[in-house]
mmCIF file of all heavy atoms in Angstrom:
data_model
loop_
_atom_site.group_PDB
_atom_site.id
_atom_site.type_symbol
_atom_site.label_atom_id
_atom_site.label_comp_id
_atom_site.label_asym_id
_atom_site.label_seq_id
_atom_site.Cartn_x
_atom_site.Cartn_y
_atom_site.Cartn_z
ATOM 1 N N GLY M 285 2.238 0.613 8.720
ATOM 2 C CA GLY M 285 3.469 1.143 9.143
ATOM 3 C C GLY M 285 4.711 0.347 8.702
ATOM 4 O O GLY M 285 5.791 0.523 9.204
ATOM 5 N N ILE M 286 4.536 -0.531 7.727
ATOM 6 C CA ILE M 286 5.680 -1.265 7.199
ATOM 7 C C ILE M 286 6.619 -0.341 6.442
ATOM 8 O O ILE M 286 7.830 -0.419 6.497
ATOM 9 C CB ILE M 286 5.246 -2.463 6.359
ATOM 10 C CG1 ILE M 286 4.585 -3.484 7.275
ATOM 11 C CG2 ILE M 286 6.366 -3.083 5.561
ATOM 12 C CD1 ILE M 286 3.852 -4.594 6.519
ATOM 13 N N LEU M 287 5.981 0.674 5.732
ATOM 14 C CA LEU M 287 6.778 1.702 5.040
ATOM 15 C C LEU M 287 6.504 2.981 5.794
ATOM 16 O O LEU M 287 5.414 3.270 6.228
ATOM 17 C CB LEU M 287 6.292 1.818 3.617
ATOM 18 C CG LEU M 287 6.612 0.677 2.707
ATOM 19 C CD1 LEU M 287 6.047 0.801 1.317
ATOM 20 C CD2 LEU M 287 8.134 0.393 2.637
ATOM 21 N N PRO M 288 7.595 3.780 5.942
ATOM 22 C CA PRO M 288 7.490 5.029 6.700
ATOM 23 C C PRO M 288 6.741 6.144 5.963
ATOM 24 O O PRO M 288 6.719 6.173 4.730
ATOM 25 C CB PRO M 288 8.922 5.398 6.918
ATOM 26 C CG PRO M 288 9.691 4.867 5.747
ATOM 27 C CD PRO M 288 8.933 3.564 5.422
ATOM 28 N N GLY M 289 6.165 7.044 6.758
ATOM 29 C CA GLY M 289 5.553 8.212 6.187
ATOM 30 C C GLY M 289 4.158 7.994 5.608
ATOM 31 O O GLY M 289 3.511 6.991 5.895
ATOM 32 N N SER M 290 3.761 8.908 4.766
ATOM 33 C CA SER M 290 2.443 8.881 4.221
ATOM 34 C C SER M 290 2.493 8.612 2.732
ATOM 35 O O SER M 290 3.528 8.695 2.060
ATOM 36 C CB SER M 290 1.656 10.176 4.457
ATOM 37 O OG SER M 290 2.388 11.258 3.901
ATOM 38 N N PHE M 291 1.308 8.214 2.150
ATOM 39 C CA PHE M 291 1.209 7.844 0.737
ATOM 40 C C PHE M 291 -0.076 8.442 0.169
ATOM 41 O O PHE M 291 -1.083 8.467 0.793
ATOM 42 C CB PHE M 291 1.182 6.325 0.643
ATOM 43 C CG PHE M 291 1.003 5.821 -0.779
ATOM 44 C CD1 PHE M 291 2.060 5.893 -1.664
ATOM 45 C CD2 PHE M 291 -0.172 5.229 -1.179
ATOM 46 C CE1 PHE M 291 1.902 5.405 -2.985
ATOM 47 C CE2 PHE M 291 -0.314 4.733 -2.480
ATOM 48 C CZ PHE M 291 0.735 4.867 -3.347
ATOM 49 N N CYS M 292 0.027 8.863 -1.087
ATOM 50 C CA CYS M 292 -1.129 9.340 -1.845
ATOM 51 C C CYS M 292 -1.116 8.703 -3.226
ATOM 52 O O CYS M 292 -0.272 9.017 -4.036
ATOM 53 C CB CYS M 292 -1.079 10.876 -1.952
ATOM 54 S SG CYS M 292 -2.474 11.539 -2.939
ATOM 55 N N PRO M 293 -2.078 7.794 -3.481
ATOM 56 C CA PRO M 293 -2.198 7.230 -4.825
ATOM 57 C C PRO M 293 -2.977 8.160 -5.771
ATOM 58 O O PRO M 293 -3.556 9.143 -5.310
ATOM 59 C CB PRO M 293 -3.022 5.930 -4.597
ATOM 60 C CG PRO M 293 -3.875 6.306 -3.440
ATOM 61 C CD PRO M 293 -3.036 7.230 -2.574
ATOM 62 N N HIS M 294 -2.990 7.852 -7.056
ATOM 63 C CA HIS M 294 -3.804 8.521 -8.052
ATOM 64 C C HIS M 294 -3.494 10.045 -8.109
ATOM 65 O O HIS M 294 -4.350 10.847 -8.382
ATOM 66 C CB HIS M 294 -5.324 8.352 -7.793
ATOM 67 C CG HIS M 294 -5.678 6.925 -7.508
ATOM 68 N ND1 HIS M 294 -5.473 5.933 -8.444
ATOM 69 C CD2 HIS M 294 -6.239 6.375 -6.369
ATOM 70 C CE1 HIS M 294 -5.979 4.800 -7.890
ATOM 71 N NE2 HIS M 294 -6.380 5.025 -6.651
ATOM 72 N N PHE M 295 -2.223 10.370 -7.920
ATOM 73 C CA PHE M 295 -1.842 11.758 -7.792
ATOM 74 C C PHE M 295 -2.139 12.617 -9.000
ATOM 75 O O PHE M 295 -2.495 13.757 -8.953
ATOM 76 C CB PHE M 295 -0.341 11.877 -7.423
ATOM 77 C CG PHE M 295 0.106 13.131 -6.825
ATOM 78 C CD1 PHE M 295 -0.381 13.522 -5.626
ATOM 79 C CD2 PHE M 295 1.002 13.933 -7.527
ATOM 80 C CE1 PHE M 295 0.020 14.770 -5.059
ATOM 81 C CE2 PHE M 295 1.410 15.155 -6.954
ATOM 82 C CZ PHE M 295 0.912 15.547 -5.726
ATOM 83 N N ASN M 296 -1.997 11.978 -10.235
ATOM 84 C CA ASN M 296 -2.149 12.685 -11.477
ATOM 85 C C ASN M 296 -3.544 12.572 -12.109
ATOM 86 O O ASN M 296 -3.817 13.183 -13.117
ATOM 87 C CB ASN M 296 -1.113 12.275 -12.476
ATOM 88 C CG ASN M 296 -1.205 10.836 -12.845
ATOM 89 O OD1 ASN M 296 -1.794 10.009 -12.115
ATOM 90 N ND2 ASN M 296 -0.677 10.454 -13.996
ATOM 91 N N THR M 297 -4.390 11.718 -11.534
ATOM 92 C CA THR M 297 -5.676 11.412 -12.208
ATOM 93 C C THR M 297 -6.904 11.812 -11.424
ATOM 94 O O THR M 297 -7.981 11.836 -12.012
ATOM 95 C CB THR M 297 -5.772 9.939 -12.606
ATOM 96 O OG1 THR M 297 -5.619 9.156 -11.410
ATOM 97 C CG2 THR M 297 -4.689 9.572 -13.616
ATOM 98 N N GLU M 298 -6.809 12.038 -10.133
ATOM 99 C CA GLU M 298 -8.006 12.360 -9.349
ATOM 100 C C GLU M 298 -7.889 13.823 -8.918
ATOM 101 O O GLU M 298 -7.026 14.145 -8.109
ATOM 102 C CB GLU M 298 -8.144 11.463 -8.178
ATOM 103 C CG GLU M 298 -8.516 10.015 -8.597
ATOM 104 C CD GLU M 298 -8.830 9.118 -7.455
ATOM 105 O OE1 GLU M 298 -8.924 9.586 -6.303
ATOM 106 O OE2 GLU M 298 -9.043 7.922 -7.690
ATOM 107 N N PRO M 299 -8.789 14.643 -9.404
ATOM 108 C CA PRO M 299 -8.828 16.073 -9.058
ATOM 109 C C PRO M 299 -8.817 16.250 -7.512
ATOM 110 O O PRO M 299 -9.522 15.525 -6.811
ATOM 111 C CB PRO M 299 -10.107 16.595 -9.678
ATOM 112 C CG PRO M 299 -10.408 15.623 -10.761
ATOM 113 C CD PRO M 299 -9.934 14.302 -10.304
ATOM 114 N N GLY M 300 -8.040 17.154 -7.080
ATOM 115 C CA GLY M 300 -8.041 17.522 -5.650
ATOM 116 C C GLY M 300 -6.962 16.756 -4.835
ATOM 117 O O GLY M 300 -6.650 17.141 -3.744
ATOM 118 N N ARG M 301 -6.422 15.671 -5.381
ATOM 119 C CA ARG M 301 -5.440 14.915 -4.579
ATOM 120 C C ARG M 301 -4.167 15.726 -4.318
ATOM 121 O O ARG M 301 -3.740 15.797 -3.158
ATOM 122 C CB ARG M 301 -5.122 13.586 -5.214
ATOM 123 C CG ARG M 301 -6.206 12.585 -4.967
ATOM 124 C CD ARG M 301 -5.658 11.189 -4.867
ATOM 125 N NE ARG M 301 -6.748 10.229 -4.696
ATOM 126 C CZ ARG M 301 -6.857 9.489 -3.640
ATOM 127 N NH1 ARG M 301 -5.975 9.519 -2.699
ATOM 128 N NH2 ARG M 301 -7.874 8.664 -3.508
ATOM 129 N N PRO M 302 -3.541 16.348 -5.333
ATOM 130 C CA PRO M 302 -2.346 17.131 -4.987
ATOM 131 C C PRO M 302 -2.584 18.217 -3.974
ATOM 132 O O PRO M 302 -1.844 18.314 -3.003
ATOM 133 C CB PRO M 302 -1.941 17.744 -6.328
ATOM 134 C CG PRO M 302 -2.490 16.788 -7.363
ATOM 135 C CD PRO M 302 -3.793 16.323 -6.767
ATOM 136 N N ARG M 303 -3.656 18.981 -4.127
ATOM 137 C CA ARG M 303 -3.962 20.079 -3.157
ATOM 138 C C ARG M 303 -4.291 19.481 -1.743
ATOM 139 O O ARG M 303 -3.768 19.969 -0.746
ATOM 140 C CB ARG M 303 -5.140 20.889 -3.658
ATOM 141 C CG ARG M 303 -5.511 22.033 -2.753
ATOM 142 C CD ARG M 303 -6.706 22.854 -3.279
ATOM 143 N NE ARG M 303 -7.733 22.086 -3.928
ATOM 144 C CZ ARG M 303 -8.687 21.365 -3.291
ATOM 145 N NH1 ARG M 303 -8.666 21.286 -1.962
ATOM 146 N NH2 ARG M 303 -9.607 20.768 -3.932
ATOM 147 N N SER M 304 -5.100 18.419 -1.705
ATOM 148 C CA SER M 304 -5.441 17.841 -0.454
ATOM 149 C C SER M 304 -4.270 17.211 0.265
ATOM 150 O O SER M 304 -4.116 17.356 1.514
ATOM 151 C CB SER M 304 -6.546 16.764 -0.614
ATOM 152 O OG SER M 304 -7.731 17.358 -1.035
ATOM 153 N N PHE M 305 -3.378 16.557 -0.487
ATOM 154 C CA PHE M 305 -2.205 15.909 0.147
ATOM 155 C C PHE M 305 -1.312 17.052 0.762
ATOM 156 O O PHE M 305 -0.918 16.901 1.903
ATOM 157 C CB PHE M 305 -1.485 15.094 -0.896
ATOM 158 C CG PHE M 305 -0.428 14.142 -0.316
ATOM 159 C CD1 PHE M 305 -0.714 13.412 0.813
ATOM 160 C CD2 PHE M 305 0.755 13.979 -0.918
ATOM 161 C CE1 PHE M 305 0.215 12.503 1.345
ATOM 162 C CE2 PHE M 305 1.693 13.052 -0.432
ATOM 163 C CZ PHE M 305 1.436 12.337 0.709
ATOM 164 N N LEU M 306 -1.083 18.108 0.008
ATOM 165 C CA LEU M 306 -0.283 19.180 0.528
ATOM 166 C C LEU M 306 -0.895 19.842 1.749
ATOM 167 O O LEU M 306 -0.214 20.081 2.754
ATOM 168 C CB LEU M 306 -0.022 20.226 -0.549
ATOM 169 C CG LEU M 306 0.835 21.438 -0.159
ATOM 170 C CD1 LEU M 306 2.194 20.954 0.299
ATOM 171 C CD2 LEU M 306 0.968 22.436 -1.295
ATOM 172 N N GLN M 307 -2.247 20.011 1.733
ATOM 173 C CA GLN M 307 -2.875 20.648 2.879
ATOM 174 C C GLN M 307 -2.787 19.790 4.135
ATOM 175 O O GLN M 307 -2.576 20.270 5.222
ATOM 176 C CB GLN M 307 -4.350 20.942 2.563
ATOM 177 C CG GLN M 307 -4.550 22.075 1.606
ATOM 178 C CD GLN M 307 -6.005 22.255 1.168
ATOM 179 O OE1 GLN M 307 -6.803 21.308 1.263
ATOM 180 N NE2 GLN M 307 -6.321 23.447 0.678
ATOM 181 N N THR M 308 -2.955 18.466 3.961
ATOM 182 C CA THR M 308 -2.864 17.584 5.131
ATOM 183 C C THR M 308 -1.427 17.573 5.694
ATOM 184 O O THR M 308 -1.253 17.447 6.888
ATOM 185 C CB THR M 308 -3.354 16.172 4.838
ATOM 186 O OG1 THR M 308 -2.558 15.637 3.763
ATOM 187 C CG2 THR M 308 -4.829 16.143 4.527
ATOM 188 N N LEU M 309 -0.427 17.733 4.803
ATOM 189 C CA LEU M 309 0.965 17.768 5.301
ATOM 190 C C LEU M 309 1.222 19.106 5.938
ATOM 191 O O LEU M 309 1.871 19.129 7.028
ATOM 192 C CB LEU M 309 1.897 17.592 4.099
ATOM 193 C CG LEU M 309 1.878 16.207 3.462
ATOM 194 C CD1 LEU M 309 2.591 16.233 2.141
ATOM 195 C CD2 LEU M 309 2.472 15.157 4.368
ATOM 196 N N GLN M 310 0.735 20.164 5.416
ATOM 197 C CA GLN M 310 0.949 21.492 6.006
ATOM 198 C C GLN M 310 0.265 21.632 7.368
ATOM 199 O O GLN M 310 0.761 22.279 8.234
ATOM 200 C CB GLN M 310 0.474 22.637 5.022
ATOM 201 C CG GLN M 310 1.381 22.774 3.849
ATOM 202 C CD GLN M 310 0.826 23.772 2.829
ATOM 203 O OE1 GLN M 310 -0.354 23.973 2.732
ATOM 204 N NE2 GLN M 310 1.744 24.328 2.043
ATOM 205 N N SER M 311 -0.857 20.992 7.529
ATOM 206 C CA SER M 311 -1.594 21.085 8.817
ATOM 207 C C SER M 311 -1.005 20.108 9.857
ATOM 208 O O SER M 311 -1.357 20.177 11.021
ATOM 209 C CB SER M 311 -3.046 20.739 8.598
ATOM 210 O OG SER M 311 -3.218 19.369 8.331
ATOM 211 N N GLY M 312 -0.114 19.225 9.414
ATOM 212 C CA GLY M 312 0.484 18.228 10.347
ATOM 213 C C GLY M 312 -0.416 16.994 10.536
ATOM 214 O O GLY M 312 -0.135 16.151 11.309
#
Side-chain angles (χ1 to χ4, degrees):
I286 292 170
L287 294 175
S290 60
F291 178 72
C292 178
H294 314 298
F295 199 65
N296 63 337
T297 58
E298 291 187 7
R301 281 211 183 243
R303 181 181 37 77
S304 293
F305 195 41
L306 181 58
Q307 287 174 340
T308 57
L309 293 167
Q310 288 174 335
S311 70

